[in-house]
Amino acid sequence: MTPADFAASIRTIENYPKPGILFRDITTLLGDARAFRRAVDELVQPWAGAKIDKVAGIEARGFILGGAVAHQLSAGFVPIRKKGKLPHQTVRMAYALEYGEDEIEMHVDAITPGQRVLLVDDLIATGGTATGAVKLLQQCGAVVEAACFIVDLPDLGGAEKLRGLGVAVRTLVA
Ligand code: 5GP
């Protein structure tokens, strides 16, 4: 499938979650058997055989994609969640929102230092969330090989920010 095919399988919702926002709704891609399979295949393609130890998925849509990506790479899966959702001891990282700040968490023992990690989410916009996740993983000793997303909003500069941290970035639709 071409980037245009993937783009066509994603629905855009106007004024969600706030007036003036154009929300890229990837549930339509997930519901399309061919598009979902091809999206996962294309996201993992550069890392087939790369010995990725863990796939880290960002709540919530990153869990859906990340589980499929981890299965494909025979890697473990690590959930990165909004604060207060994980049952065991956690490590936290603050990250920038459009207005203000929030925190994400990961279990303290989710990564063994030196493990090679692929970060997965559905979309990168400003890169605040993904940058926070990379820092959290690195703080726990992970080697973050790359981050992959279905959608990049390049005008917001998130992918460039991640590349600046030395993380390779793969996206399917810009
Ligand atoms: P960032 O931190 O890069 O500004 O925003 C990315 C995060 O917000 C991701 O976790 C992503 O799921 C969510 N997000 C922001 N805008 C959209 C959107 O238009 N569509 C979807 N599906 N997620 C979005």
Side-chain angles (χ1 to χ4, degrees):
M1 283 174 66
T2 65
D5 294 328
F6 285 121
S9 74
I10 296 166
R11 171 167 64 190
T12 299
I13 309 279
E14 285 178 30
N15 301 317
Y16 181 89
K18 287 190 283 195
I21 305 280
L22 278 183
F23 190 82
R24 305 317 197 284
D25 174 21
I26 66 136
T27 64
T28 44
L29 180 150
L30 298 174
D32 176 336
R34 177 167 176 262
F36 187 17
R37 168 164 284 283
R38 293 300 299 272
V40 172
D41 287 348
E42 297 243 348
L43 286 178
V44 304
Q45 187 257 325
W47 294 284
K51 298 210 188 322
I52 295 293
D53 297 299
K54 295 272 169 70
V55 172
I58 300 176
E59 182 173 2
R61 290 169 293 272
F63 291 177
I64 302 165
L65 293 165
V69 165
H71 177 77
Q72 197 98 326
L73 293 175
S74 298
F77 179 79
V78 175
I80 295 183
R81 301 207 64 174
K82 314 265 161 63
K83 64 177 175 227
K85 304 275 187 99
L86 287 166
H88 184 55
Q89 196 186 336
T90 60
V91 280
R92 274 188 190 183
M93 181 66 64
Y95 68 99
L97 295 172
E98 194 180 350
Y99 301 104
E101 210 180 73
D102 207 344
E103 285 177 312
I104 44 175
E105 287 187 338
M106 189 176 84
H107 276 149
V108 68
D109 56 359
I111 299 287
T112 304
Q115 284 191 319
R116 292 155 60 102
V117 175
L118 182 62
L119 180 68
V120 178
D121 203 358
D122 63 333
L123 177 143
I124 182 157
T126 65
T129 314
T131 299
V134 167
K135 289 183 178 159
L136 188 60
L137 288 160
Q138 288 175 338
Q139 184 183 294
C140 295
V143 178
V144 184
E145 291 284 329
C148 50
F149 309 86
I150 293 185
V151 182
D152 179 21
L153 303 181
D155 293 350
L156 298 180
E160 277 316 302
K161 243 181 244 166
L162 282 189
R163 291 188 181 106
L165 294 176
V167 176
V169 178
R170 180 159 177 85
T171 61
L172 302 182
V173 178

